[in-house]
Amino acid sequence: MLSYPDGVIQHCSEAGYAVATNTVTTDSKRKEDNAVVTELREYLHAGFGHPIRLDYGTGHESSFLVFLLCLCKIGCFGSTQQISSGDSSSSSTATPPVLAPVALSIFSQYLQVTRGLQTDYMLEPAGSHGVWGLDDYHCLPFYFGACQLIQNDGSIPEEQHSPSCIHGNNLLQTKGDMYMYLGCIRYIKSLKKGVPFFESSPMLDDISHIPSWTKVSTGLLRLYEGEVLDKRPVVQHFMFGNIFKATWKASQK
């Protein structure tokens, strides 16, 4: 295992943040452009774990998701559509044909980076009081992966196209690179060799008994909303700005 002197990781994080900050100057950018970059930078910087606590969890992956959402809203991934609200204001959002490949392609590469960080820096799973991930760190890849598997394009035999297919190691090896959910299960099993899956990942094992991927994706979305987005320890770190706005009334709870 690699070990690092005290303060080294924090110093590297602060140095990288300083470099990102210096890319925006009042001489070269308009004030509104600075505000956009500042908002994007905050979410990107928070998307790879905490440099002092040395942990990573669903709050960090949520920050990266908001970063991608902000890029979509400003048109970085193609066309957007206007959504009108009741107060006569409107906002831009990316269309589903744009969001789907973003979620699957960019987030899969993001997973490769975060898994490397978790391993090399021995990051602890964040959020021991209800804000957690299905594999100790993540929740979103399982939701995206379940959505991907709702429609069978023929690459998986129909008799194996059900949530219980995760117990077939041959399918995980051959299709894990193509399907995000299967890749996540394969990664868990590679880390916890010799441990029965129902012991190492009891919730994922329970999910495998659900009859369809549609029901799995619906349940995972509810899980993410209830156990992540509804938790103050997560959303208190969001920097709501002009792109990702806080347009709701705060709860009194």
Side-chain angles (χ1 to χ4, degrees):
M1 283 288 187
L2 297 174
S3 60
Y4 301 90
D6 292 342
V8 167
I9 299 176
Q10 182 182 354
H11 172 73
C12 292
S13 176
E14 292 173 349
Y17 189 80
V19 170
T21 302
N22 290 335
T23 60
V24 179
T25 66
T26 55
D27 295 335
S28 61
K29 296 288 185 180
R30 295 176 300 172
K31 183 178 180 180
E32 55 268 31
D33 292 337
N34 289 352
V36 169
V37 174
T38 297
E39 187 173 350
L40 292 173
R41 184 180 61 231
E42 289 295 327
Y43 288 117
L44 179 61
H45 187 255
F48 297 91
H50 198 282
I52 298 177
R53 295 195 306 266
L54 296 185
D55 63 10
Y56 178 95
T58 50
H60 300 106
E61 72 169 0
S62 296
S63 288
F64 187 77
L65 180 68
V66 174
F67 170 72
L68 294 181
L69 174 63
C70 290
L71 291 180
C72 285
K73 290 174 77 68
I74 63 177
C76 290
F77 298 123
S79 61
T80 60
Q81 60 185 2
Q82 292 298 118
I83 302 297
S84 298
S85 59
D87 59 358
S88 73
S89 63
S90 63
S91 61
S92 298
T93 185
T95 58
V98 172
L99 290 174
V102 168
L104 292 175
S105 60
I106 296 182
F107 218 86
S108 66
Q109 297 304 306
Y110 168 72
L111 268 180
Q112 301 305 312
V113 175
T114 56
R115 285 171 179 169
L117 293 173
Q118 293 156 16
T119 302
D120 293 345
Y121 295 99
M122 297 174 284
L123 301 183
E124 293 289 333
S128 59
H129 300 288
V131 185
W132 41 266
L134 292 171
D135 64 350
D136 295 334
Y137 296 105
H138 293 283
C139 182
L140 286 171
F142 295 94
Y143 170 64
F144 294 150
C147 292
Q148 182 188 17
L149 283 163
I150 290 176
Q151 297 294 331
N152 187 5
D153 61 2
S155 60
I156 297 179
E158 193 61 38
E159 63 273 13
Q160 295 181 332
H161 188 249
S162 69
S164 62
C165 72
I166 66 168
H167 300 293
N169 290 329
N170 183 60
L171 185 67
L172 296 181
Q173 294 304 318
T174 57
K175 303 298 182 181
D177 292 335
M178 182 181 299
Y179 294 100
M180 184 177 288
Y181 195 101
L182 301 183
C184 289
I185 299 297
R186 182 180 65 184
Y187 182 70
I188 292 173
K189 290 187 175 184
S190 71
L191 292 180
K192 302 179 180 181
K193 292 180 179 179
V195 181
F197 189 70
F198 69 88
E199 290 184 5
S200 66
S201 307
M203 189 166 186
L204 288 170
D205 184 68
D206 289 341
I207 291 173
S208 72
H209 301 295
I210 296 175
S212 71
W213 288 111
T214 299
K215 291 185 176 181
V216 170
S217 63
T218 301
L220 289 177
L221 181 58
R222 286 200 301 265
L223 172 72
Y224 181 67
E225 291 175 339
E227 295 297 330
V228 181
L229 295 183
D230 279 351
K231 301 299 183 180
R232 182 169 180 172
V234 172
V235 298
Q236 69 181 358
H237 297 295
F238 287 171
M239 189 194 83
F240 298 103
N242 292 326
I243 308 174
F244 185 57
K245 300 179 180 180
T247 57
W248 61 89
K249 184 178 180 180
S251 171
Q252 298 302 315
K253 296 181 180 180

